[in-house]
Amino acid sequence: MPEKKIDTRRKELGEFLQAIRKRGSPEEFGFPAGARRRTKGLRREEVAQLANMSATWYTWVEQGREVNMSADALIRLAQALKLTRTERAYLFEFAGRRDPQGHIQEEDLASNTLTALLKDIKVPAYILGRTWNILAWNPEAEKLFGEWLSPDNNVAPNLLRLVFTHPNAKTFVINWETRSKRLVAEFRADCRSRLEEPELQSLVLELSKTSADFDQFWKQHDVLERQGGLREFNHSSLGMLAYQQVTMRPVDQEQLKLVMLSPTKKARN
C-alpha cells in the first residue's frame, strides 16, 4: 500500500514536469524554434541541458521511475524551467525533499497588500511572519500593545520573545502561564516542517537560554493548532480588556498570519 502512494507521487511529479516543459516556447529558453519540432515546448534533452543533468535521468523522472532526486538537482530543474514560487514548492513537495532555499524574506512579503489591508481594520490587528515576528500592525494594535511593538535596533518585535522575556508580560497577559504554554504548542505545530531552518533554531535556542518557562514548555513537545478564543489583557491605562481572537492565513502567503482582536465582554462564571 505505501508503495502505491509513492508511485502515485512519482507519476504526478513526472506529469507536472512534462506539462511545464511543454508550455514554454523554445525561444524563451534560448533555443531556436525550428521547423522540425513536432510538439510544443522544450525537448527533454533541452531541459536536461539547461539543468546540467543527464538526459536519461531527466527522462526517468518524467516517466515516474524510482530515481534519487537530490535537493541540488531539484533546484537546477526549478531554475531551468523558470518555475514560480508556488510551482517550485509543488516540485519539492512531490519529490519528497525540503527546499533549502525556500525561505523568502518575510518582511518583503508583508509590505504590500496585507499591510494596506491593516489600515481598514478597525480592531487591533497585526501580521505574524514565519518565525512569529510581528511584521506590521495597525494603530489600534499599537494602542493595545504600546511599547511591545517598538522595534529593537530596527529588528521586528517577535511574539514569543515578548511573551517570554518582556518585563511586564506576566502582568499584561491575563492567565499568562496557560496562554504562554499554549502559544509554544501552537508555535511548534506551526513550524513542524521547518524545524531545521537556521532562523527558527536560533530563536528557539535564544528563548531556551533566556526563559526557563519557554525551555520547559518547548521540551514537552505539545502541539496544538492555532485557534481563536478569548484573549485578555491588563492594560496599564485602559484597565482590563477582553477580545475574541481570529487568525487568517493569506492563500498566496501561507507562512503569514493576519491576527485580529475583536473587543468582547468576558463571560464570567
Side-chain angles (χ1 to χ4, degrees):
M1 196 70 177
E3 187 61 32
K4 184 177 181 181
K5 180 179 179 181
I6 294 174
D7 290 342
T8 300
R9 292 174 69 89
R10 292 191 189 117
K11 181 175 180 292
E12 178 71 20
L13 176 61
E15 291 176 352
F16 169 69
L17 287 171
Q18 188 176 138
I20 293 291
R21 172 172 61 83
K22 290 181 177 180
R23 77 180 181 188
S25 65
E27 299 93 332
E28 180 186 355
F29 293 88
F31 296 103
R36 299 178 62 184
R37 288 184 181 268
R38 292 174 292 182
T39 58
K40 292 172 55 179
L42 296 171
R43 299 187 177 101
R44 287 172 174 167
E45 294 79 7
E46 291 169 338
V47 174
Q49 178 183 334
L50 289 170
N52 191 27
M53 60 182 54
S54 161
T56 300
W57 185 89
Y58 177 75
T59 299
W60 287 351
V61 173
E62 272 202 11
Q63 291 173 345
R65 296 197 192 186
E66 185 175 356
V67 294
N68 180 32
M69 303 186 68
S70 68
D72 181 64
L74 292 169
I75 289 172
R76 297 201 308 274
L77 263 180
Q79 293 172 341
L81 292 169
K82 301 180 180 180
L83 300 187
T84 65
R85 181 164 57 89
T86 302
E87 290 167 343
R88 177 176 172 132
Y90 190 86
L91 172 69
F92 274 83
E93 176 71 22
F94 272 89
R97 294 284 185 180
R98 186 184 69 85
D99 185 354
Q101 299 175 3
H103 175 48
I104 300 173
Q105 288 297 319
E106 54 189 12
E107 291 82 1
D108 296 335
L109 292 176
S111 61
N112 300 317
T113 306
L114 278 178
T115 304
L117 178 64
L118 285 175
K119 298 177 182 178
D120 297 325
I121 299 175
K122 303 307 179 184
V123 299
Y126 55 92
I127 297 169
L128 283 181
R130 63 192 291 121
T131 56
W132 291 20
N133 282 344
I134 304 175
L135 305 178
W137 53 87
N138 64 3
E140 287 74 16
E142 190 161 3
K143 291 176 186 176
L144 171 62
F145 294 108
E147 64 175 7
W148 274 36
L149 297 178
S150 301
D152 184 14
N153 296 322
N154 295 320
V155 176
N158 180 276
L159 182 59
L160 289 166
R161 191 177 286 121
L162 290 169
V163 168
F164 283 96
T165 66
H166 197 281
N168 77 341
K170 293 186 178 182
T171 56
F172 179 62
V173 178
I174 302 299
N175 201 11
W176 180 89
E177 185 170 356
T178 300
R179 296 297 331 142
S180 61
K181 183 177 181 179
R182 181 177 183 89
L183 199 66
V184 174
E186 291 174 344
F187 182 68
R188 182 179 276 281
D190 185 53
C191 65
R192 55 185 173 267
S193 63
R194 303 181 282 106
L195 291 174
E196 60 284 323
E197 287 186 0
E199 185 179 358
L200 192 148
Q201 289 184 343
S202 176
L203 177 64
V204 170
L205 180 61
E206 172 201 330
L207 290 173
S208 296
K209 289 182 176 179
T210 56
S211 170
D213 293 304
F214 177 88
D215 187 51
Q216 176 189 343
F217 298 154
W218 184 257
K219 289 177 178 177
Q220 289 175 355
H221 288 264
D222 292 338
V223 286
L224 293 167
E225 291 301 323
R226 189 166 175 80
Q227 297 178 351
L230 184 67
R231 303 292 186 269
E232 297 177 282
F233 305 97
N234 181 16
H235 198 279
S236 59
S237 59
L238 300 177
M240 300 290 286
L241 302 172
Y243 300 89
Q244 285 291 327
Q245 177 179 288
V246 177
T247 301
M248 299 181 179
R249 292 176 182 265
V251 173
D252 58 342
Q253 299 174 331
E254 292 186 354
Q255 75 278 22
L256 302 184
K257 298 170 192 63
L258 173 61
V259 183
M260 294 177 288
L261 297 168
S262 179
T264 187
K265 293 182 178 180
K266 179 183 177 183
R268 296 191 178 273
N269 296 325

